[in-house]
Each structure stands twice: as structure tokens, then as C-alpha cells.
Amino acid sequence: MLLSIDWRIFFTIFATVFLAELGDKTQLATMLFATDKDVSKWTVFFAASAALIVASAIGVLVGSFLAEYINGKILSYLAGSGFILIGLYTLYTA
């Protein structure tokens, strides 16, 4: 089976995830590890990259599984509602 990539979707997903990750706790934790002079920056880079790949793979697998049983539009509403609730909770506890 050949790998078929829809480049428009690829770049949409890339840009969305890239912007979402900028300045978040994952990036801050990675920067903190990179400040250790005794640790190879390549080790930090590859470990953080591997972690993001595994987390993304889990997201794809769970999303594919859920799509078998739940309409995609409903999943979008649930995800959006979840983000709003997390934002409201964050504002409330600030």
C-alpha cells in the first residue's frame, strides 16, 4: 500500500498542532530539560519528538476508534466543549 498524503490537510494539521504546541507546558518542559549542560541537546530533541509522536499516535488511534461509533460532528462539539470547559476552569482557578 502506497502512502497517500493530502498535502492541504497535512499542512492544516501541521499548522494547527504547531501553533497549539507553541508556549504550552510540553514546550516549556522541553526547554527546561535543554538547559541542563550535562544532557545532550540531541537526546532532549529525540526524546521529546518521540513522546509527541507516541501521543499523536494514541490520538489517531482513539480518534479512529471513536469515529466508528460516534458521528464526527458530535466529536467536534464534544472536543470544543471540552476546550471551553478547561478554559473556564483555568480562568476560575487563576
Side-chain angles (χ1 to χ4, degrees):
M1 177 174 112
L2 292 174
L3 181 64
S4 175
I5 294 179
D6 181 335
W7 289 104
R8 188 174 66 83
I9 298 296
F10 175 91
F11 287 115
T12 299
I13 295 167
F14 177 88
T16 303
V17 173
F18 179 78
L19 291 173
E21 291 295 325
L22 282 179
D24 82 337
K25 62 185 176 213
T26 304
Q27 187 181 34
L28 297 174
T30 303
M31 285 190 291
L32 180 62
F33 285 119
T35 63
D36 188 340
K37 292 179 179 163
D38 297 329
V39 175
S40 163
K41 304 315 173 230
W42 285 110
T43 300
V44 174
F45 172 76
F46 286 122
S49 297
L52 289 172
I53 288 169
V54 171
S56 295
I58 291 169
V60 170
L61 291 172
V62 171
S64 296
F65 175 78
L66 290 176
E68 295 283 326
Y69 302 100
I70 303 173
N71 182 294
K73 193 164 189 104
I74 292 172
L75 286 174
S76 293
Y77 286 133
L78 290 172
S81 299
F83 281 118
I84 290 170
L85 290 172
I86 290 169
L88 291 172
Y89 176 77
T90 301
L91 287 172
Y92 177 74
T93 59

